[in-house]
Amino acid sequence: MFKSKRSGLVRRLWRSRLVTESDGRTGLEEDLASTAHAFLKRLKDRSLDALVKAVETKGGVPGECVTVPRTELRLGGHHVSPQYLLCRLFRWSDLPLSARLKPLCHCQSFGSGDSAKVCCNPYHYSRLCGPESPPPPYSQSLSDEHKLLGKFGENDTGTSIGSSTSGGHRSHWCSVAYWEQRTRVGRLYPAYEPSLSIFYDLPQGTGLCLGQLHANIRSKIGFGIVLSREADGVWVYNRSQHPVFVHSPTLDLPSARGLSVRRVMPGFSLKVFDFECSSWMTEHGVKPETQEGPWDPHSIRISFAKGWGPCYSRQFITSCPCWLEVLLNTHR
């Protein structure tokens, strides 16, 4: 019975893989399949159970970490990590060997680069957004971004938000407002924990559930996003099935004349607000040349599924069907 259960779990996982025998696999994909099958057979039952839950719900159910020794697996003529192997098998068939995977903030591997163990749950990782290519008019170019970061390196003051206390009570690090075009729906939602899930339909989800509100135009929000306050800034992780579009003052280059709206594809993460950049902008009195309405140097705007700005039919975020305003608490 013990062996039968393990075999059944492996078969369920194998049916969920992205590459199948009918896909005309390349030599690398053949190696991927054989390496992954051997790796899965070595996992314990509890780890297999956690992987089945994560893969079959596409990350919709909070899953456990699946920890394995930090090692490298041979894949063709290359060596890859266990987390790369399972992310390539179950999430992104186009994942390049050079891809950087970012552990999500609730994962044991987050911030533990030197640990002897590593989590290989593929839904505990995101891909990192890079510069869009070819860059549209509103996008940063990689060379300009590096020049700007060089300027920021002259200032090490940084910013610490959300860590203050008032009267012995911890303060919230941000408040979130939900908007539908020009109408705010619901109340401001304060975030006290380092990460906040914002979603419409998420099994066993906790956080800000937009499905509890009364409007009916949120079908593309789905599993939504995760906002996390980390040491270097605020990150957004897109866990939905559709892209989200984001803007903050720190995404704009000082010389930019247009709005820097970035697209975050499903499964990707982006540092949407940079603390060091914000400090540099404050010190140098940098403000954007164009901005709709009053300018708030500590706000983030996120639109679900629909973009806005110079390259879209919607020029302003107030024309988007559903969007978020994230107000960072810097002791306003």
Side-chain angles (χ1 to χ4, degrees):
M1 181 180 296
F2 173 76
K3 186 175 181 180
S4 175
K5 179 182 178 182
R6 287 180 54 79
S7 299
L9 290 171
V10 172
R11 283 197 299 271
R12 285 173 65 183
L13 280 169
W14 208 240
R15 286 195 296 268
S16 301
R17 69 196 190 280
L18 298 178
V19 178
T20 65
E21 284 79 0
S22 61
D23 288 339
R25 295 184 301 191
T26 66
L28 182 61
E29 289 162 346
E30 291 284 356
D31 289 337
L32 175 72
S34 61
T35 301
H37 193 263
F39 176 77
L40 292 173
K41 288 173 65 176
R42 296 199 301 267
L43 295 180
K44 298 179 180 179
D45 280 5
R46 179 170 178 176
S47 295
L48 287 171
D49 273 323
L51 276 179
V52 167
K53 180 184 293 185
V55 169
E56 291 185 343
T57 65
K58 299 186 183 302
V61 174
E64 300 177 9
C65 284
V66 179
T67 55
V68 295
R70 186 180 293 275
T71 186
E72 289 189 334
L73 306 171
R74 188 167 182 82
L75 182 60
H78 307 276
H79 289 87
V80 299
S81 65
Q83 60 269 36
Y84 172 89
L85 181 75
L86 296 191
C87 284
R88 173 79 179 263
L89 189 70
F90 294 117
R91 293 197 69 183
W92 303 294
S93 60
D94 64 342
L95 189 66
L97 290 166
S98 59
R100 291 176 58 201
L101 295 172
K102 181 181 186 296
L104 301 179
C105 57
H106 62 268
C107 179
Q108 293 179 18
S109 291
F110 178 76
S112 60
D114 297 329
S115 174
K117 296 278 190 176
V118 65
C119 173
C120 62
N121 184 333
Y123 284 91
H124 281 196
Y125 288 87
S126 69
R127 298 171 70 172
L128 291 177
C129 290
E132 298 181 355
S133 179
Y138 57 80
S139 177
Q140 303 177 57
S141 71
L142 184 61
S143 59
D144 284 343
E145 183 178 23
H146 284 173
K147 291 175 186 175
L148 189 60
L149 289 175
K151 292 181 181 179
F152 296 155
E154 298 167 4
N155 175 23
D156 297 325
T157 58
T159 300
S160 176
I161 64 171
S163 60
S164 65
T165 58
S166 177
H169 299 286
R170 181 179 51 162
S171 64
H172 60 284
W173 65 271
C174 79
S175 295
V176 179
Y178 173 69
W179 294 76
E180 292 176 351
Q181 295 184 323
R182 293 181 176 274
T183 303
R184 200 180 93 186
V185 181
R187 62 182 179 86
L188 277 176
Y189 188 95
Y192 296 92
E193 298 300 323
S195 67
L196 172 65
S197 292
I198 303 170
F199 56 93
Y200 173 73
D201 180 23
L202 181 64
Q204 302 181 19
T206 58
L208 175 54
C209 178
L210 301 176
Q212 296 173 350
L213 302 178
H214 57 75
N216 58 2
I217 59 174
R218 310 184 189 100
S219 60
K220 291 190 176 180
I221 295 177
F223 289 177
I225 63 170
V226 177
L227 284 175
S228 59
R229 187 201 69 223
E230 302 179 17
D232 57 348
V234 178
W235 287 76
V236 60
Y237 165 55
N238 183 4
R239 64 189 301 174
S240 76
Q241 300 301 306
H242 300 277
V244 298
F245 298 82
V246 301
H247 171 263
S248 85
T250 66
L251 289 179
D252 286 326
L253 291 168
S255 59
R257 294 184 177 274
L259 205 64
S260 296
V261 176
R262 294 290 303 274
R263 179 175 58 180
V264 183
M265 297 299 290
F268 279 73
S269 286
L270 174 72
K271 181 166 64 174
V272 69
F273 192 92
D274 187 297
F275 295 157
E276 189 175 12
C277 173
S278 178
S279 292
W280 183 89
M281 292 173 69
T282 299
E283 180 181 342
H284 292 80
V286 175
K287 293 185 178 181
E289 294 190 16
T290 59
Q291 176 75 33
E292 179 204 5
W295 182 68
D296 187 337
H298 302 111
S299 68
I300 301 165
R301 293 180 170 187
I302 304 170
S303 174
F304 293 101
K306 302 296 183 182
W308 81 100
C311 290
Y312 297 92
S313 59
R314 298 169 178 82
Q315 293 299 296
F316 307 114
I317 196 170
T318 49
S319 299
C320 294
C322 46
W323 57 281
L324 302 170
E325 185 178 28
V326 182
L327 305 171
L328 301 181
N329 178 18
T330 54
H331 320 303
R332 296 169 182 263

